[in-house]
Amino acid sequence: MIRRTGWGLAVLWPLVVGSVHADNQPTRPAIKANRWQEDWSVFKDPALRTQPLDNLKYIPLSAANPFTYLSLGATLRERFEMNDASGFGVRDVARDRYLIQRFQVHADLHLNEHWRLFTQLEDVRAYDKTTIGGADQNRVDLRLAFAEYVKTFSAGTFKARAGRQDFAFDLQRFISSRDGPNVRQSFDALWADWETPQWRVIGIASQPVQYQDGRHFDDKSNRDARFHMLRVERLVGGSNELSAYYGVYERRAAHYLDADGNETRQLLDVRLGGAARGFDWDIEAMLQKGSVGSQAIRAWAGGSRTGYTFDTLAWTPRLGLQVDVASGDRKRGDGRVGTFNPLFPNGYYFSLAGYTGYSNLIHVKPSITVKPIAKLSVQTAVGLLWRQTTADAVYTQPNLAVAGTAGQGQRWTGAYGQVRTDYAFTSNLSGAIEAVHYAAGQTLRDAGGHDSNYLGMELKFSW
């Protein structure tokens, strides 16, 4: 199995084995954000079952084969949020205070060394939220249900999955499991990949799940949208991660400021990530072409995160710099759509406040992260924002145009300050606090917007 370093490719690994010491002795597996990535087969050794309910993490189903077992688990996330107003108050949205809750239970059935069935149910609720959006609430529904096949040959490992699943790539700029909002993003998909120690090739054909909250178990494949991809990954220069993919994104009845109709985007993405001698880097660029109705698409974007960690200093400070650029539509009525579509972005990438979307954007964000104690990290950052072109709008998450900004005002959009703390109380319980203040530029003010503030406080328990 390929072992990855850095921030990127580990998030999408279909199967992750339990941790192993240098002396090859298995240890307790770590809880992961994507629960289907966990492998509790090491619990076939009863000596590792040291915590309450550990017998439910590994329920043997065959005396002859220790890899035939059932594993159960659950995740509960509670987050209290305060937000002055989404979209900077342009739509006269009042200040909001609310609690969002995500509760998930899963069953991971391993039939043998090759076959497994994974199912996850969830109940997602938003209490006292003024406006309930599609990513806020989804009561009692099927989130994941897929069958997986894994077979190792002398030349490499073949893996395939079919069913409702999620996937996330790299820093999740454009393809994510959308962990920031309350409802994560799933796909009804076919997935296949081939892995060697240096290479990985992935093919995906999918439809994103259409979330509905009218009754229980009413989510379905979104027949108005499709996403397909062929991706190649390669380890270069030791541990550097080089990847590229070609994708096709399709959506019916799409709407942009300068185009309406069926949307087809062909995507070409290249990314390099790695770390060495205290430095870390992640650089990605994407080109998009295709059409929206009768209009041609010509769009692009690029992002980078670089940093340096002072390992020998107290609190091991990391100085970071994030730079992002995404195209906008430069001229109405010219037969071209230049607005970049961020596809399935992760709100965590900028901030949880949702004030910044990855369209028509120039974004510069210096930061410093420190670790006063082993389980605590604190990040402080300042983000500076401009529009790539004043002919297009200011966008918020995921790619919503702020009314009254297209073709108006200056390129300067505003600046925000961000403070985030993360603390791991135990291996099962973590907490986070994030605060963001956005100082709106004159263009937003002329459109009726104002400075905005966000505060989020989160606890997450995973078993």
Side-chain angles (χ1 to χ4, degrees), residues 36 107 116-122 138 140-148 161-167 183-191 204-212 216-223:
W36 56 269
R116 70 188 286 225
L117 301 173
F118 186 93
T119 303
Q120 185 178 65
L121 304 179
E122 73 174 1
N138 188 35
V140 189
D141 223 311
L142 178 68
R143 188 181 119 67
L144 299 176
F146 63 82
E148 181 181 68
R161 296 199 305 269
R164 183 160 298 179
Q165 51 195 285
D166 58 15
F167 35 80
V183 180
R184 300 184 80 190
Q185 179 64 61
S186 300
F187 299 81
D188 289 332
L190 297 174
W191 166 301
I204 299 172
S206 75
Q207 290 182 324
V209 173
Q210 178 66 53
Y211 293 98
Q212 303 176 118
H216 300 328
F217 298 102
D218 60 352
D219 295 347
K220 60 182 182 180
S221 289
N222 186 350
R223 296 185 178 181

Side-chain angles (χ1 to χ4, degrees), residues 1 12-17 36-39 69 108 110 113 116 148 150 159 161 195 200:
M1 176 174 290
L12 57 91
W13 233 232
L15 187 62
V16 179
V17 298
W36 56 269
Q37 291 183 303
E38 300 168 7
D39 179 7
Y69 69 94
D108 189 7
H110 289 250
E113 297 90 333
R116 70 188 286 225
E148 181 181 68
V150 179
K159 299 180 180 180
R161 296 199 305 269
E195 303 172 16
R200 191 180 190 197

